Amino acid sequence: MRMAQRVAMCTAQRVGVPPSEHLTWAAMKAFQEAILAGAPGEEIAGIPLPESYRAAFVRRDEVDMFEGVESAAKDPRRSLHVEEVAVPELAPDEAYVAVMASAINFNTVWTSIFEPLPTFGFLDRFGKEGEWGARHALDYHVVGSDAAGVVVRVGSAVRNWKPGDKVTIHCNYVDDQDPSAHDDSMLAANQRIWGFESNFGGLADLTLVKANQLMPKPAHLSWEESAVNALCNSTAYRMLVSRNGAAMRQGDRVLVWGATGGLGGYAVQHVLNGGGIPVGVVSSPEKAELLHDLGVEAVIDRKAAGYRFWADEHTQDESEWRRLGKDIRALIGDDPDIVFEHPGRQTMGASVFVCKRGGSVVTCAATSGYMIEYDNRHLWMKLKTIKGSHFANYREAWDANRLICEGKVVPPLSAVYPLEDVGEATLQVHRNLHEGKIGVLCLAPGEGLGIDDPELRAKVGERRITVFRRHGA
Ligand code: NAP
């Protein structure tokens, strides 16, 4: 029987079966116990793999479940299921990782509300790319684009990683046999985001990744603190620091929208580390206080300021852009050299306007709408640049991870949920009720486990490492 058929059959038998009714937990528990006991790699490599594992997924037969419902009212608790799925076959360049903890990213919000499109289209396209790609085109999509855990098996072509290695996982999924992947891998023709455009993501007890997604776990952080960083930290690093983004210089003034959000929580730290001057925009006095605690002096509370960049659905109000510009100058004495953009339609007109002559607006998203309007006269007459950016290549993700490993950037972890409550955790992000990042415990039986270097932790400082947690509690 062909491998793809075998997987499909296995899937049909497994999906929908509650985890407790399966022997599979015994197998996953053996991994959990070995990891918690600090077992050597050879022992972990000898633990038998189960046939199925616990995972969070959306179902193809439910993609229309929110028809006629407004975006904000779509509830991920209805669409995200936590049940058993079949363990997919391992390709030679891949690894299975026992996931101790994962995280919620905004892409899981998009997948769970089936916007702007159901992600099954990505999986079906992937399914046409040969036998290994066919594994991904299933009737369920296991989500999640961040994880920390332990390698339990590697494929025959994997050289740099072995069972027992403690890792975090970045989400750039590239085909290294494609020539277009060999300048900047984010330019690869078939570049994908793991757990969003591929199946078998990180919100699960086990995940399947390419070996070139693996990075060392920060030794001074717990599993959940380690799990939340790779996606947003790497994205913010490329946008601001990398020569593929704004190539920030010392002294640059940087306006950061959503400065205590997933991306913004890292962006402001990169600006401070690089000798820049951040202006953080947030939407409450509590978030403003959190930013001050992080070391950001210039903060704008957009709710208190009451900006109305859009006079109505079709018309923007330049006087409101001007008011934001004045507020920024009042705080830092100049216009921002760089604007860190992701809210999209609501803010892009203002971002282009307030950006300094010759400066750049770097954008990676459009949470409030992707059909953007700005006044082009302000762009060309003042020689500004709009730069598109998307996740990060392996090198950028590795360099960003090194900053976490050295304690130069701290995880903005504000809350932790068990995998069973992944729907609730996703709802928090969807409704913007959270700060920073939300962690999800998978095989880790509780918080605070997995810290191997308490000396470095003490040096970085417990207060600093837990700054978002204290404010989120
Ligand atoms: P997040 O944790 O929800 O943070 C975003 C923050 O933006 C919010 O906390 C909010 O902060 C602010 N915001 C939301 N709507 C706004 C509006 N209309 N005007 C001004 N500010 C607004 O999300 P995230 O993880 O930072 O991700 C943000 C976006 O980037 C998402 O769309 C996500 O899909 C995308 N993203 C893209 C990439 C990529 O590689 N392309 C990577 C990561 C994320 P306040 O309410 O405090 O102002």
Side-chain angles (χ1 to χ4, degrees):
M1 194 187 304
R2 282 172 57 82
M3 183 262 297
Q5 280 172 304
R6 272 203 317 272
V7 170
M9 263 191 68
C10 209
T11 300
Q13 288 158 3
R14 299 284 174 197
V15 168
V17 181
S20 55
E21 290 178 21
H22 267 292
L23 286 178
T24 192
W25 175 240
M28 290 316 297
K29 197 168 167 52
F31 282 120
Q32 182 200 53
E33 284 171 353
I35 291 164
L36 293 173
E42 309 81 71
E43 191 179 319
I44 288 172
I47 298 172
L49 276 173
E51 281 183 17
S52 64
Y53 65 106
R54 192 177 61 137
F57 59 85
V58 293
R59 303 178 69 118
R60 193 188 288 268
D61 59 5
E62 290 184 347
V63 297
D64 295 327
M65 72 191 300
F66 296 128
E67 215 157 79
V69 179
E70 246 184 53
S71 217
K74 293 180 182 172
D75 189 341
R77 292 174 301 187
R78 286 185 55 208
S79 54
L80 282 170
H81 305 275
V82 179
E83 291 169 18
E84 294 281 302
V85 299
V87 173
E89 203 155 322
L90 186 72
D93 61 347
E94 291 178 340
Y96 291 125
V97 176
V99 181
M100 298 302 278
S102 181
I104 305 298
N105 281 293
F106 216 93
N107 64 8
T108 293
V109 175
W110 297 127
T111 302
S112 68
I113 61 173
F114 307 109
E115 284 193 25
L117 294 164
T119 42
F120 288 98
F122 299 137
L123 304 186
D124 292 342
R125 264 200 299 286
F126 197 0
K128 293 182 185 130
E129 284 183 19
E131 191 164 334
W132 295 116
R135 293 171 303 170
H136 294 258
L138 297 169
D139 289 335
Y140 59 87
H141 185 180
V142 178
V143 292
S145 302
D146 261 321
V150 174
V151 174
V152 297
R153 294 286 195 283
V154 293
S156 56
V158 175
R159 289 179 292 111
N160 297 337
W161 304 93
K162 57 184 188 323
D165 287 344
K166 296 180 179 178
V167 293
T168 58
I169 299 169
H170 77 75
C171 62
N172 184 16
Y173 189 100
V174 279
D175 174 359
D176 60 13
Q177 292 179 34
D178 181 340
S180 66
H182 286 270
D183 178 5
D184 168 6
S185 63
M186 286 307 297
L187 298 180
N190 56 5
Q191 184 278 332
R192 293 185 163 85
I193 297 295
W194 159 69
F196 180 62
E197 294 163 295
S198 78
N199 218 324
F200 320 123
L203 283 161
D205 288 338
L206 192 77
T207 188
L208 179 78
V209 297
K210 283 194 182 272
N212 62 14
Q213 290 177 254
L214 298 174
M215 306 189 295
K217 173 193 171 290
H220 66 298
L221 297 181
S222 67
W223 291 112
E224 63 279 7
E225 289 164 347
S226 303
V228 298
N229 306 303
L231 191 149
C232 281
N233 183 39
S234 312
T235 304
Y237 181 90
R238 179 178 172 111
M239 287 173 78
L240 286 176
V241 183
S242 168
R243 60 173 178 262
N244 291 317
M248 195 192 82
R249 299 160 312 158
Q250 293 184 33
D252 274 353
R253 293 164 171 84
V254 185
L255 179 71
V256 180
W257 289 104
T260 58
L263 287 171
Y266 297 99
V268 293
Q269 295 189 66
H270 290 306
V271 178
L272 289 169
N273 280 350
I277 300 152
V279 182
V281 185
V282 290
S283 61
S284 71
E286 293 76 24
K287 288 182 178 182
E289 203 186 310
L290 165 50
L291 271 192
H292 289 313
D293 238 13
L294 253 185
V296 180
E297 285 172 18
V299 179
I300 293 175
D301 180 341
R302 66 182 171 99
K303 279 242 168 84
Y307 302 119
R308 291 202 56 206
F309 302 135
W310 287 83
D312 60 50
E313 217 182 298
H314 308 287
T315 327
Q316 295 202 62
D317 181 348
E318 184 172 324
S319 70
E320 286 292 276
W321 300 347
R322 207 170 285 283
R323 188 157 73 88
L324 171 67
K326 272 192 188 153
D327 290 347
I328 296 168
R329 283 185 188 175
L331 283 168
I332 56 166
D334 207 345
D335 299 327
D337 304 277
I338 301 168
V339 180
F340 185 86
E341 232 313 319
H342 50 87
R345 183 169 173 82
Q346 284 295 325
T347 54
M348 191 66 167
S351 292
V352 170
F353 180 82
V354 300
C355 182
K356 193 173 180 169
R357 179 182 280 267
S360 26
V361 177
V362 194
T363 177
C364 74
T367 314
S368 65
Y370 50 81
M371 295 306 280
I372 301 294
E373 275 180 39
Y374 63 88
D375 185 334
N376 204 26
R377 292 168 299 178
H378 293 297
L379 189 86
W380 95 72
M381 293 295 287
K382 294 186 181 153
L383 303 107
K384 304 178 187 184
T385 304
I386 297 175
K387 177 102 193 170
S389 191
H390 187 41
F391 188 60
N393 61 39
Y394 196 10
R395 178 59 195 263
E396 290 160 341
W398 189 278
D399 289 348
N401 187 55
R402 189 164 52 81
L403 295 172
I404 302 274
C405 289
E406 291 173 356
K408 297 202 168 83
V409 170
V410 295
L413 175 73
S414 66
V416 180
Y417 287 78
L419 183 60
E420 298 79 41
D421 294 340
V422 66
E424 177 61 39
T426 308
L427 184 70
Q428 294 288 314
V429 177
H430 181 30
R431 302 255 163 99
N432 194 17
L433 299 172
H434 69 304
E435 283 156 5
K437 298 292 309 173
I438 292 185
V440 175
L441 296 178
C442 299
L443 284 177
E447 293 179 46
L449 301 167
I451 299 167
D452 292 326
D453 189 345
E455 287 80 24
L456 177 59
R457 191 174 178 93
K459 206 167 137 200
V460 178
E462 193 67 33
R463 229 189 120 69
R464 191 165 140 65
I465 292 170
T466 57
V467 58
F468 275 72
R469 200 71 217 271
R470 279 186 285 111
H471 283 268

mmCIF file of all heavy atoms in Angstrom, residues 281-318:
data_model
loop_
_atom_site.group_PDB
_atom_site.id
_atom_site.type_symbol
_atom_site.label_atom_id
_atom_site.label_comp_id
_atom_site.label_asym_id
_atom_site.label_seq_id
_atom_site.Cartn_x
_atom_site.Cartn_y
_atom_site.Cartn_z
ATOM 1 N N VAL A 281 3.217 52.228 20.706
ATOM 2 C CA VAL A 281 1.790 52.564 20.724
ATOM 3 C C VAL A 281 1.030 51.383 21.338
ATOM 4 O O VAL A 281 1.244 50.230 20.938
ATOM 5 C CB VAL A 281 1.252 52.827 19.300
ATOM 6 C CG1 VAL A 281 -0.209 53.290 19.363
ATOM 7 C CG2 VAL A 281 2.107 53.863 18.586
ATOM 8 N N VAL A 282 0.173 51.680 22.315
ATOM 9 C CA VAL A 282 -0.631 50.643 22.961
ATOM 10 C C VAL A 282 -2.060 51.174 23.151
ATOM 11 O O VAL A 282 -2.359 52.282 22.714
ATOM 12 C CB VAL A 282 -0.030 50.232 24.333
ATOM 13 C CG1 VAL A 282 1.268 49.461 24.159
ATOM 14 C CG2 VAL A 282 0.191 51.452 25.237
ATOM 15 N N SER A 283 -2.910 50.384 23.829
ATOM 16 C CA SER A 283 -4.308 50.817 23.922
ATOM 17 C C SER A 283 -4.856 50.819 25.348
ATOM 18 O O SER A 283 -6.072 50.766 25.537
ATOM 19 C CB SER A 283 -5.181 49.930 23.033
ATOM 20 O OG SER A 283 -5.098 48.591 23.473
ATOM 21 N N SER A 284 -3.979 50.843 26.353
ATOM 22 C CA SER A 284 -4.483 50.962 27.734
ATOM 23 C C SER A 284 -3.363 51.467 28.642
ATOM 24 O O SER A 284 -2.178 51.278 28.343
ATOM 25 C CB SER A 284 -4.979 49.604 28.245
ATOM 26 O OG SER A 284 -3.875 48.745 28.477
ATOM 27 N N PRO A 285 -3.734 52.057 29.774
ATOM 28 C CA PRO A 285 -2.710 52.515 30.726
ATOM 29 C C PRO A 285 -1.892 51.345 31.277
ATOM 30 O O PRO A 285 -0.694 51.487 31.538
ATOM 31 C CB PRO A 285 -3.514 53.164 31.858
ATOM 32 C CG PRO A 285 -4.909 53.294 31.388
ATOM 33 C CD PRO A 285 -5.095 52.413 30.205
ATOM 34 N N GLU A 286 -2.525 50.150 31.413
ATOM 35 C CA GLU A 286 -1.800 48.978 31.940
ATOM 36 C C GLU A 286 -0.697 48.574 30.970
ATOM 37 O O GLU A 286 0.425 48.252 31.367
ATOM 38 C CB GLU A 286 -2.752 47.777 32.133
ATOM 39 C CG GLU A 286 -3.796 47.965 33.219
ATOM 40 C CD GLU A 286 -4.964 48.873 32.814
ATOM 41 O OE1 GLU A 286 -5.227 48.996 31.585
ATOM 42 O OE2 GLU A 286 -5.590 49.481 33.697
ATOM 43 N N LYS A 287 -1.028 48.599 29.669
ATOM 44 C CA LYS A 287 -0.013 48.240 28.670
ATOM 45 C C LYS A 287 1.093 49.301 28.647
ATOM 46 O O LYS A 287 2.263 48.978 28.447
ATOM 47 C CB LYS A 287 -0.659 48.106 27.287
ATOM 48 C CG LYS A 287 -1.528 46.872 27.131
ATOM 49 C CD LYS A 287 -2.082 46.792 25.717
ATOM 50 C CE LYS A 287 -2.921 45.535 25.500
ATOM 51 N NZ LYS A 287 -3.423 45.417 24.125
ATOM 52 N N ALA A 288 0.711 50.565 28.852
ATOM 53 C CA ALA A 288 1.716 51.642 28.878
ATOM 54 C C ALA A 288 2.684 51.403 30.033
ATOM 55 O O ALA A 288 3.909 51.539 29.887
ATOM 56 C CB ALA A 288 1.024 52.999 29.014
ATOM 57 N N GLU A 289 2.144 50.995 31.179
ATOM 58 C CA GLU A 289 2.986 50.736 32.350
ATOM 59 C C GLU A 289 3.933 49.561 32.091
ATOM 60 O O GLU A 289 5.104 49.592 32.462
ATOM 61 C CB GLU A 289 2.058 50.427 33.518
ATOM 62 C CG GLU A 289 2.690 50.676 34.870
ATOM 63 C CD GLU A 289 1.759 50.208 35.967
ATOM 64 O OE1 GLU A 289 0.571 50.581 35.937
ATOM 65 O OE2 GLU A 289 2.229 49.458 36.838
ATOM 66 N N LEU A 290 3.405 48.540 31.452
ATOM 67 C CA LEU A 290 4.236 47.371 31.098
ATOM 68 C C LEU A 290 5.410 47.804 30.213
ATOM 69 O O LEU A 290 6.557 47.390 30.422
ATOM 70 C CB LEU A 290 3.361 46.325 30.390
ATOM 71 C CG LEU A 290 3.996 45.169 29.613
ATOM 72 C CD1 LEU A 290 5.045 44.426 30.416
ATOM 73 C CD2 LEU A 290 2.921 44.185 29.177
ATOM 74 N N LEU A 291 5.136 48.660 29.248
ATOM 75 C CA LEU A 291 6.211 49.137 28.360
ATOM 76 C C LEU A 291 7.261 49.908 29.146
ATOM 77 O O LEU A 291 8.462 49.747 28.910
ATOM 78 C CB LEU A 291 5.635 50.051 27.279
ATOM 79 C CG LEU A 291 5.162 49.416 25.982
ATOM 80 C CD1 LEU A 291 4.901 50.491 24.942
ATOM 81 C CD2 LEU A 291 6.149 48.392 25.436
ATOM 82 N N HIS A 292 6.814 50.742 30.073
ATOM 83 C CA HIS A 292 7.773 51.480 30.905
ATOM 84 C C HIS A 292 8.658 50.498 31.666
ATOM 85 O O HIS A 292 9.860 50.683 31.770
ATOM 86 C CB HIS A 292 7.038 52.416 31.874
ATOM 87 C CG HIS A 292 6.399 53.598 31.203
ATOM 88 N ND1 HIS A 292 7.067 54.374 30.272
ATOM 89 C CD2 HIS A 292 5.170 54.142 31.311
ATOM 90 C CE1 HIS A 292 6.254 55.341 29.839
ATOM 91 N NE2 HIS A 292 5.103 55.222 30.445
ATOM 92 N N ASP A 293 8.033 49.415 32.182
ATOM 93 C CA ASP A 293 8.775 48.391 32.920
ATOM 94 C C ASP A 293 9.821 47.712 32.033
ATOM 95 O O ASP A 293 10.855 47.257 32.509
ATOM 96 C CB ASP A 293 7.785 47.322 33.412
ATOM 97 C CG ASP A 293 7.832 47.178 34.905
ATOM 98 O OD1 ASP A 293 8.423 48.047 35.546
ATOM 99 O OD2 ASP A 293 7.257 46.201 35.430
ATOM 100 N N LEU A 294 9.531 47.635 30.755
ATOM 101 C CA LEU A 294 10.466 47.015 29.801
ATOM 102 C C LEU A 294 11.600 47.974 29.418
ATOM 103 O O LEU A 294 12.537 47.596 28.744
ATOM 104 C CB LEU A 294 9.715 46.657 28.517
ATOM 105 C CG LEU A 294 9.386 45.212 28.184
ATOM 106 C CD1 LEU A 294 8.743 45.154 26.810
ATOM 107 C CD2 LEU A 294 10.598 44.303 28.221
ATOM 108 N N GLY A 295 11.451 49.227 29.789
ATOM 109 C CA GLY A 295 12.495 50.209 29.487
ATOM 110 C C GLY A 295 12.146 51.160 28.359
ATOM 111 O O GLY A 295 13.001 51.909 27.874
ATOM 112 N N VAL A 296 10.882 51.125 27.905
ATOM 113 C CA VAL A 296 10.465 52.028 26.822
ATOM 114 C C VAL A 296 9.913 53.306 27.453
ATOM 115 O O VAL A 296 8.905 53.270 28.167
ATOM 116 C CB VAL A 296 9.379 51.364 25.944
ATOM 117 C CG1 VAL A 296 8.945 52.298 24.826
ATOM 118 C CG2 VAL A 296 9.891 50.048 25.384
ATOM 119 N N GLU A 297 10.569 54.426 27.182
ATOM 120 C CA GLU A 297 10.131 55.673 27.826
ATOM 121 C C GLU A 297 8.997 56.356 27.067
ATOM 122 O O GLU A 297 8.073 56.892 27.670
ATOM 123 C CB GLU A 297 11.331 56.624 27.949
ATOM 124 C CG GLU A 297 12.285 56.189 29.049
ATOM 125 C CD GLU A 297 13.565 56.991 29.056
ATOM 126 O OE1 GLU A 297 13.604 58.085 28.452
ATOM 127 O OE2 GLU A 297 14.534 56.504 29.666
ATOM 128 N N ALA A 298 9.095 56.370 25.743
ATOM 129 C CA ALA A 298 8.100 57.095 24.944
ATOM 130 C C ALA A 298 6.945 56.171 24.580
ATOM 131 O O ALA A 298 7.109 55.216 23.807
ATOM 132 C CB ALA A 298 8.759 57.636 23.675
ATOM 133 N N VAL A 299 5.781 56.429 25.156
ATOM 134 C CA VAL A 299 4.624 55.551 24.951
ATOM 135 C C VAL A 299 3.404 56.395 24.604
ATOM 136 O O VAL A 299 3.173 57.444 25.218
ATOM 137 C CB VAL A 299 4.340 54.726 26.222
ATOM 138 C CG1 VAL A 299 3.118 53.828 26.018
ATOM 139 C CG2 VAL A 299 5.544 53.881 26.622
ATOM 140 N N ILE A 300 2.639 55.925 23.623
ATOM 141 C CA ILE A 300 1.377 56.593 23.271
ATOM 142 C C ILE A 300 0.239 55.607 23.514
ATOM 143 O O ILE A 300 0.291 54.467 23.031
ATOM 144 C CB ILE A 300 1.393 57.026 21.789
ATOM 145 C CG1 ILE A 300 2.427 58.135 21.574
ATOM 146 C CG2 ILE A 300 0.004 57.477 21.340
ATOM 147 C CD1 ILE A 300 2.607 58.566 20.128
ATOM 148 N N ASP A 301 -0.753 56.047 24.270
ATOM 149 C CA ASP A 301 -1.968 55.237 24.462
ATOM 150 C C ASP A 301 -2.964 55.700 23.389
ATOM 151 O O ASP A 301 -3.550 56.779 23.489
ATOM 152 C CB ASP A 301 -2.504 55.470 25.884
ATOM 153 C CG ASP A 301 -3.772 54.669 26.163
ATOM 154 O OD1 ASP A 301 -4.443 54.233 25.193
ATOM 155 O OD2 ASP A 301 -4.102 54.498 27.348
ATOM 156 N N ARG A 302 -3.131 54.868 22.351
ATOM 157 C CA ARG A 302 -3.938 55.306 21.195
ATOM 158 C C ARG A 302 -5.411 55.466 21.568
ATOM 159 O O ARG A 302 -6.127 56.270 20.979
ATOM 160 C CB ARG A 302 -3.751 54.355 20.013
ATOM 161 C CG ARG A 302 -4.289 52.939 20.219
ATOM 162 C CD ARG A 302 -4.022 52.058 19.024
ATOM 163 N NE ARG A 302 -4.341 50.657 19.291
ATOM 164 C CZ ARG A 302 -5.467 50.060 18.918
ATOM 165 N NH1 ARG A 302 -6.381 50.720 18.236
ATOM 166 N NH2 ARG A 302 -5.678 48.788 19.206
ATOM 167 N N LYS A 303 -5.854 54.688 22.559
ATOM 168 C CA LYS A 303 -7.267 54.799 22.986
ATOM 169 C C LYS A 303 -7.479 56.125 23.697
ATOM 170 O O LYS A 303 -8.424 56.856 23.409
ATOM 171 C CB LYS A 303 -7.637 53.655 23.933
ATOM 172 C CG LYS A 303 -7.971 52.372 23.214
ATOM 173 C CD LYS A 303 -9.444 51.947 23.485
ATOM 174 C CE LYS A 303 -9.864 50.830 22.542
ATOM 175 N NZ LYS A 303 -9.449 49.500 23.026
ATOM 176 N N ALA A 304 -6.553 56.434 24.646
ATOM 177 C CA ALA A 304 -6.683 57.691 25.396
ATOM 178 C C ALA A 304 -6.566 58.874 24.430
ATOM 179 O O ALA A 304 -7.296 59.863 24.571
ATOM 180 C CB ALA A 304 -5.605 57.761 26.476
ATOM 181 N N ALA A 305 -5.677 58.763 23.442
ATOM 182 C CA ALA A 305 -5.510 59.866 22.474
ATOM 183 C C ALA A 305 -6.728 59.969 21.561
ATOM 184 O O ALA A 305 -7.030 61.036 21.023
ATOM 185 C CB ALA A 305 -4.238 59.640 21.653
ATOM 186 N N GLY A 306 -7.423 58.856 21.368
ATOM 187 C CA GLY A 306 -8.668 58.862 20.589
ATOM 188 C C GLY A 306 -8.485 59.212 19.117
ATOM 189 O O GLY A 306 -9.353 59.867 18.525
ATOM 190 N N TYR A 307 -7.382 58.752 18.505
ATOM 191 C CA TYR A 307 -7.167 59.063 17.081
ATOM 192 C C TYR A 307 -8.303 58.499 16.239
ATOM 193 O O TYR A 307 -8.737 57.367 16.449
ATOM 194 C CB TYR A 307 -5.848 58.443 16.582
ATOM 195 C CG TYR A 307 -4.634 58.887 17.354
ATOM 196 C CD1 TYR A 307 -3.858 57.958 18.050
ATOM 197 C CD2 TYR A 307 -4.237 60.228 17.386
ATOM 198 C CE1 TYR A 307 -2.739 58.347 18.769
ATOM 199 C CE2 TYR A 307 -3.124 60.623 18.107
ATOM 200 C CZ TYR A 307 -2.384 59.679 18.801
ATOM 201 O OH TYR A 307 -1.292 60.064 19.521
ATOM 202 N N ARG A 308 -8.742 59.293 15.268
ATOM 203 C CA ARG A 308 -9.742 58.793 14.304
ATOM 204 C C ARG A 308 -9.168 59.009 12.917
ATOM 205 O O ARG A 308 -9.470 59.993 12.242
ATOM 206 C CB ARG A 308 -11.065 59.536 14.482
ATOM 207 C CG ARG A 308 -11.738 59.164 15.822
ATOM 208 C CD ARG A 308 -13.208 59.430 15.775
ATOM 209 N NE ARG A 308 -13.860 58.730 14.666
ATOM 210 C CZ ARG A 308 -14.979 59.138 14.084
ATOM 211 N NH1 ARG A 308 -15.567 60.223 14.483
ATOM 212 N NH2 ARG A 308 -15.504 58.452 13.091
ATOM 213 N N PHE A 309 -8.272 58.073 12.537
ATOM 214 C CA PHE A 309 -7.601 58.225 11.239
ATOM 215 C C PHE A 309 -8.600 58.133 10.091
ATOM 216 O O PHE A 309 -8.383 58.675 9.023
ATOM 217 C CB PHE A 309 -6.510 57.162 11.071
ATOM 218 C CG PHE A 309 -5.449 57.191 12.147
ATOM 219 C CD1 PHE A 309 -4.997 56.031 12.751
ATOM 220 C CD2 PHE A 309 -4.900 58.407 12.564
ATOM 221 C CE1 PHE A 309 -4.021 56.065 13.738
ATOM 222 C CE2 PHE A 309 -3.920 58.457 13.558
ATOM 223 C CZ PHE A 309 -3.489 57.283 14.141
ATOM 224 N N TRP A 310 -9.675 57.405 10.314
ATOM 225 C CA TRP A 310 -10.725 57.271 9.294
ATOM 226 C C TRP A 310 -11.954 58.073 9.764
ATOM 227 O O TRP A 310 -12.558 57.742 10.783
ATOM 228 C CB TRP A 310 -11.107 55.796 9.109
ATOM 229 C CG TRP A 310 -10.045 55.022 8.382
ATOM 230 C CD1 TRP A 310 -8.930 54.466 8.927
ATOM 231 C CD2 TRP A 310 -9.995 54.738 6.978
ATOM 232 N NE1 TRP A 310 -8.178 53.846 7.954
ATOM 233 C CE2 TRP A 310 -8.814 54.000 6.742
ATOM 234 C CE3 TRP A 310 -10.825 55.030 5.892
ATOM 235 C CZ2 TRP A 310 -8.444 53.545 5.484
ATOM 236 C CZ3 TRP A 310 -10.461 54.576 4.632
ATOM 237 C CH2 TRP A 310 -9.274 53.852 4.429
ATOM 238 N N ALA A 311 -12.292 59.126 9.009
ATOM 239 C CA ALA A 311 -13.470 59.928 9.352
ATOM 240 C C ALA A 311 -14.729 59.082 9.150
ATOM 241 O O ALA A 311 -15.676 59.152 9.925
ATOM 242 C CB ALA A 311 -13.525 61.181 8.491
ATOM 243 N N ASP A 312 -14.732 58.313 8.064
ATOM 244 C CA ASP A 312 -15.776 57.306 7.865
ATOM 245 C C ASP A 312 -15.126 56.139 7.121
ATOM 246 O O ASP A 312 -13.920 56.140 6.895
ATOM 247 C CB ASP A 312 -16.993 57.886 7.108
ATOM 248 C CG ASP A 312 -16.599 58.418 5.735
ATOM 249 O OD1 ASP A 312 -15.921 57.686 4.981
ATOM 250 O OD2 ASP A 312 -16.955 59.575 5.421
ATOM 251 N N GLU A 313 -15.905 55.177 6.730
ATOM 252 C CA GLU A 313 -15.383 53.947 6.120
ATOM 253 C C GLU A 313 -14.506 54.198 4.884
ATOM 254 O O GLU A 313 -13.650 53.394 4.535
ATOM 255 C CB GLU A 313 -16.594 53.101 5.710
ATOM 256 C CG GLU A 313 -16.404 51.618 5.903
ATOM 257 C CD GLU A 313 -17.633 50.879 5.417
ATOM 258 O OE1 GLU A 313 -18.725 51.116 5.991
ATOM 259 O OE2 GLU A 313 -17.490 50.117 4.462
ATOM 260 N N HIS A 314 -14.741 55.344 4.208
ATOM 261 C CA HIS A 314 -14.051 55.584 2.941
ATOM 262 C C HIS A 314 -13.071 56.748 2.980
ATOM 263 O O HIS A 314 -12.321 56.954 2.031
ATOM 264 C CB HIS A 314 -15.086 55.852 1.824
ATOM 265 C CG HIS A 314 -16.132 54.805 1.738
ATOM 266 N ND1 HIS A 314 -15.867 53.555 1.236
ATOM 267 C CD2 HIS A 314 -17.436 54.805 2.126
ATOM 268 C CE1 HIS A 314 -16.967 52.813 1.309
ATOM 269 N NE2 HIS A 314 -17.927 53.559 1.850
ATOM 270 N N THR A 315 -13.073 57.546 4.047
ATOM 271 C CA THR A 315 -12.296 58.784 4.052
ATOM 272 C C THR A 315 -11.346 58.851 5.233
ATOM 273 O O THR A 315 -11.775 58.689 6.381
ATOM 274 C CB THR A 315 -13.244 60.013 4.174
ATOM 275 O OG1 THR A 315 -14.462 59.719 3.520
ATOM 276 C CG2 THR A 315 -12.597 61.267 3.616
ATOM 277 N N GLN A 316 -10.080 59.113 4.931
ATOM 278 C CA GLN A 316 -9.133 59.296 6.039
ATOM 279 C C GLN A 316 -9.009 60.787 6.366
ATOM 280 O O GLN A 316 -9.242 61.645 5.526
ATOM 281 C CB GLN A 316 -7.770 58.722 5.665
ATOM 282 C CG GLN A 316 -7.836 57.207 5.485
ATOM 283 C CD GLN A 316 -6.493 56.541 5.631
ATOM 284 O OE1 GLN A 316 -5.872 56.602 6.669
ATOM 285 N NE2 GLN A 316 -6.061 55.891 4.568
ATOM 286 N N ASP A 317 -8.618 61.053 7.612
ATOM 287 C CA ASP A 317 -8.567 62.423 8.099
ATOM 288 C C ASP A 317 -7.107 62.801 8.346
ATOM 289 O O ASP A 317 -6.510 62.395 9.341
ATOM 290 C CB ASP A 317 -9.394 62.496 9.397
ATOM 291 C CG ASP A 317 -9.427 63.905 9.967
ATOM 292 O OD1 ASP A 317 -8.634 64.764 9.504
ATOM 293 O OD2 ASP A 317 -10.243 64.142 10.881
ATOM 294 N N GLU A 318 -6.551 63.608 7.425
ATOM 295 C CA GLU A 318 -5.125 63.957 7.505
ATOM 296 C C GLU A 318 -4.796 64.692 8.810
ATOM 297 O O GLU A 318 -3.691 64.588 9.332
ATOM 298 C CB GLU A 318 -4.704 64.781 6.284
ATOM 299 C CG GLU A 318 -3.219 65.060 6.315
ATOM 300 C CD GLU A 318 -2.678 65.717 5.048
ATOM 301 O OE1 GLU A 318 -3.158 65.391 3.948
ATOM 302 O OE2 GLU A 318 -1.757 66.544 5.182
#
